[in-house]
Amino acid sequence: MEWIGWLSFAIFIGALIYLGISSFSTFKSMKPKMDQLKEAQVRIQTQTEKIKYETDELKVHQEQIMADVDHAKQTVTLTVNEAKQLPENAKFLVNTAVDSRKENQTANI
């Protein structure tokens, strides 16, 4: 009966050796695939950083454009407001000129 114990122990040791060999061969065959996946991950990370950088540049450019548009809008608004006041200023100028002429004519008499 002792030989059954030794036989079981030998089978167990053989199973462990087989497990080690199959694990090593599996790891060896998976290494190139894992390296490819790591390279793909690095490429994706690089592309992601590039896209993030370009997005940041576009945001800065967009802010500059918005500032230019706001400046142009303020300039146009100021010009329109000044143009609206032009008739009142012209009337004031005409009235002032007419009043000063009347004063000059009255002073000459």
Side-chain angles (χ1 to χ4, degrees), residues 1-106:
M1 283 293 189
E2 246 181 72
W3 63 275
I4 293 178
W6 286 109
L7 183 63
S8 296
F9 184 68
I11 291 173
F12 178 72
I13 295 297
L16 284 177
I17 291 172
Y18 178 75
L19 176 66
I21 291 171
S22 66
S23 297
F24 182 73
S25 66
T26 302
F27 175 74
K28 195 174 180 181
S29 68
M30 292 297 290
K31 187 164 176 35
K33 294 175 185 174
M34 291 180 70
D35 289 342
Q36 288 175 351
L37 288 174
K38 285 181 183 178
E39 290 172 5
Q41 179 185 8
V42 168
R43 283 194 309 268
I44 290 171
Q45 184 67 31
T46 304
Q47 289 294 324
T48 302
E49 290 173 0
K50 182 180 176 183
I51 290 171
K52 185 179 180 228
Y53 176 74
E54 289 175 358
T55 302
D56 292 342
E57 282 186 349
L58 285 174
K59 284 181 183 178
V60 168
H61 190 65
Q62 179 186 17
E63 289 172 1
Q64 290 174 348
I65 290 173
M66 292 302 291
D68 289 346
V69 167
D70 286 341
H71 179 66
K73 183 178 175 182
Q74 289 175 352
T75 303
V76 168
T77 303
L78 180 64
T79 304
V80 167
N81 288 338
E82 290 296 324
K84 286 180 182 178
Q85 292 177 359
L86 188 62
E88 293 174 16
N89 292 339
K91 286 179 188 177
F92 177 74
L93 181 63
V94 168
N95 288 339
T96 306
V98 169
D99 288 342
S100 69
R101 268 193 171 167
K102 285 181 183 178
E103 288 177 10
N104 284 340
Q105 287 177 355
T106 337

